[in-house]
Amino acid sequence: MLDLPGFFAPFILYAGILALHVLLPARRVAGYVRDPATGEPLSYRLNGLPVLFAAVLAWVIVGWLGWLPFDWLYHHRWASLAGACTIGLGFTLAIVLPAPATGKSLAADLFLGRLENPQLRGPTGPVDAKMVLYLIGAVMLALNLLSFAAHHAMTYPEDPSVGVLIYVGLLGFFLTEYLLFERVHLYTYDLFAERVGFKLGWGCLSFYPYFYVVGLWGLADRPNPHASPLLGAVAIAVFFSGWSLARGANMQKFTFKIDPARVFLGVLRPEVITDGRRSLLCSGFWAVSRHVNYLGEILMATGLALALGYPSSPWPWLYPLYYVALLVPRERDDDRRCAAKYGDLWTAYRQRVRWRIIPGVY
Ligand code: NDP
C-alpha cells in the first residue's frame, strides 16, 4: 500500500527548513569562492544552528502534544526516503537542464552539474544553493536520528541500549559542530571545486539524511546488546580522536587562509613551503599527511559504527566503508587539482609530506 504521508513528509519538512533558513536571523559572511563576474567574494547568510534548534524544538513539541508519535519518521522511513529521492531527482533536473552546458556529455552534466555556485536573491538576502542543500540534509538527518532513537526507546522502554544513547550523542555532536563551524565549510572542496547536480543535490537531499543514520536504520529495533562498557568507551575515544584530526586540520587551514601569519591554537606556528607567490602549510596537521582530515572522518565513522554495540552486524559498518569509498578517490581528485594549480610547489610539498591520508601506511 502506498504510504502517501511518509512520501510527502520530506516535501513539507524541506520547505519548512528552507523557510526557517530564510526567516531566522543570520550572520552575513564573505566566502572563499569569488564571483567570476565581479571578482568579489560571494556573500552568504549562515544560520545553521538556529535552524537546527528550531526544527528539533518543533519535533519535540509535535511529539509532546501527541500530534505525531516521536518515532513517526522511523515507521515511514522507506516512503520518506522515496519522497526524498524524488525531490533530489526533481531538483537535479530543475537546476541542471536550464543552465548552459559545460561541453561534457548530458549524463556528466546531470551527475556533476553545470552551475558552480548558484545563489538566489531571497527576501532577507542571498540564498546559496549549496549551503541550503547541506543545511536541509543536516536537519533532516537530525530528525531521522531522533526518531529512529525514539523508536528504540519506545520499543524497549524497560531496557533501552546505552549504545543507542552514545550513537545519538556522537552523531548529534557531529551535526551540531558542523553547523557551529558552518563558515569553515565555505573553504572546502565542495564549495570551490564542485558544481551543483545530482551528486550534490540528490546527495544532500536523499543520501546524507537517510544513509548517515544507517547504523540505527538497521539496528533500532534490536534489543539492548548489553555490550561491554569498554566497547562504548573505545567508540567514544575513536570518534573523538578522529574529530580532533578532522576539526584540527580544517581549522588550521582555515586560520591560515584568513590570516597566514597567525599561530594556530596559540602553539602551532605556520610553517610553509612557498614559491614566493603562493604558500602551502606544512606544519601541524598538514605535516602529518596531505589529508589527515580524511583519516579523521573515517575514524569518526568507525567510532559511530562501534557505538551501537553490535560490532558483528554489517549495518553500522556500511557508514565507515562509505567514507573510504568517498574520500580515497576524493583525495586523488584533489591531488590532481592541486598539482594543476600549484605545479612545482605541489611536487615539493608532496616530497616533504609523503603520505596521502594515513601516515606511514598510505
Ligand atoms: P580539504 O579541506 O583538505 O581541502 C583541500 C584543499 O585545501 C586543496 O584543494 C587546497 O585548496 C587546500 N590545501 C591542500 N593542502 C594544503 C596545504 N598544505 N596548505 C594550504 N592549503 C592546502 O578537503 P575537503 O575540502 O575535501 O574537505 C574538508 C572537510 O570536509 C574535511 O574534514 C573532510 O573530511 C570533510 N568532509 C566531510 C564529509 C562528510 O560527509 N562528513 C564529506 C567530505 C568531506 P586551495 O586551492 O584553497 O589551496
Side-chain angles (χ1 to χ4, degrees), residues 15 54 90 106 160 166 184 261 288 313 362:
L106 177 63
I166 298 175
V184 180
V288 178
S313 162
Y362 174 73

Side-chain angles (χ1 to χ4, degrees), residues 208-223:
Y208 176 29
Y210 292 83
F211 180 78
Y212 276 41
V213 76
V214 67
L216 264 191
W217 187 299
L219 298 175
D221 61 359
R222 298 253 192 113

Side-chain angles (χ1 to χ4, degrees), residues 32 189 212 250 281 294 297 330 334 337 341-342:
Y32 183 52
Y189 185 87
Y212 276 41
N250 290 339
L281 258 180
Y294 290 179
E297 298 285 346
R330 181 162 162 146
D334 192 52
R337 177 186 173 275
K341 176 173 175 181
Y342 291 105

